[in-house]
Amino acid sequence: MTPHRFPVTVYYEDTDMAGVVYYANYLRYIERARSEIVEQLGLDQNAMRADGIVFVVTRVEADYVSVARMGDRLEVVTTHQAAGPVRWTFDQEVQRDGNVIFRAHVVAVTMTTGGKPVRLPAKIRAMIAK
């Protein structure tokens, strides 16, 4: 699978008092990249929610390797796959000039809006498998 690439620019609002990207903002960057993947696959999350199905992140393993600062141009590089009937996994790196500064393994599942796990619809499993 070809990795998905998502550009990010670090703004002043992304930084903490030390002038580096606040740790939680890396989670925002990788979330935006995953949202972009969902959109590019043609999945309409509003329609899914109307049908009673949503994606929920259930696990994040994160490693902070280096820091980013205001003005840095970063790239979120993501590979993903269906991992069983309910789970969708993502391996994500935030890179600066090709060097990894943050990496995460994310597990998302499909659930009903009532909070019960539900199988990924066959259409979505087929899209993810591409």
Side-chain angles (χ1 to χ4, degrees):
M1 166 187 300
T2 303
H4 176 270
R5 298 180 176 280
F6 180 75
V8 174
T9 300
V10 177
Y11 297 106
Y12 176 76
E13 67 188 20
D14 296 323
T15 61
D16 62 15
M17 290 184 67
V20 300
V21 170
Y22 181 65
Y23 79 97
N25 286 331
Y26 290 98
L27 299 176
R28 291 176 190 240
Y29 300 158
I30 65 174
E31 173 69 31
R32 291 175 194 162
R34 291 192 311 276
S35 294
E36 191 74 20
I37 289 168
V38 168
E39 184 177 316
Q40 286 181 2
L41 287 172
L43 298 173
D44 182 341
Q45 291 189 79
N46 288 321
M48 287 175 58
R49 187 175 53 241
D51 290 339
I53 298 174
V54 294
F55 293 117
V56 177
V57 170
T58 59
R59 182 175 181 82
V60 175
E61 294 177 43
D63 294 309
Y64 297 85
V65 178
S66 187
V67 299
R69 300 184 188 286
M70 186 174 69
D72 282 352
R73 304 268 184 207
L74 309 176
E75 185 173 52
V76 180
V77 180
T78 305
T79 57
H80 58 94
Q81 65 183 8
V86 175
R87 295 183 315 147
W88 189 1
T89 63
F90 301 82
D91 288 303
Q92 299 185 274
E93 295 180 344
V94 177
Q95 299 178 1
R96 181 183 51 239
D97 300 323
N99 297 309
V100 176
I101 62 171
F102 173 87
R103 75 173 52 91
H105 176 75
V106 180
V107 177
V109 300
T110 44
M111 295 187 136
T112 66
T113 51
K116 295 184 180 185
V118 63
R119 291 178 66 90
L120 282 161
K123 173 185 171 187
I124 294 174
R125 281 196 315 270
M127 289 177 170
I128 294 170
K130 292 180 180 178

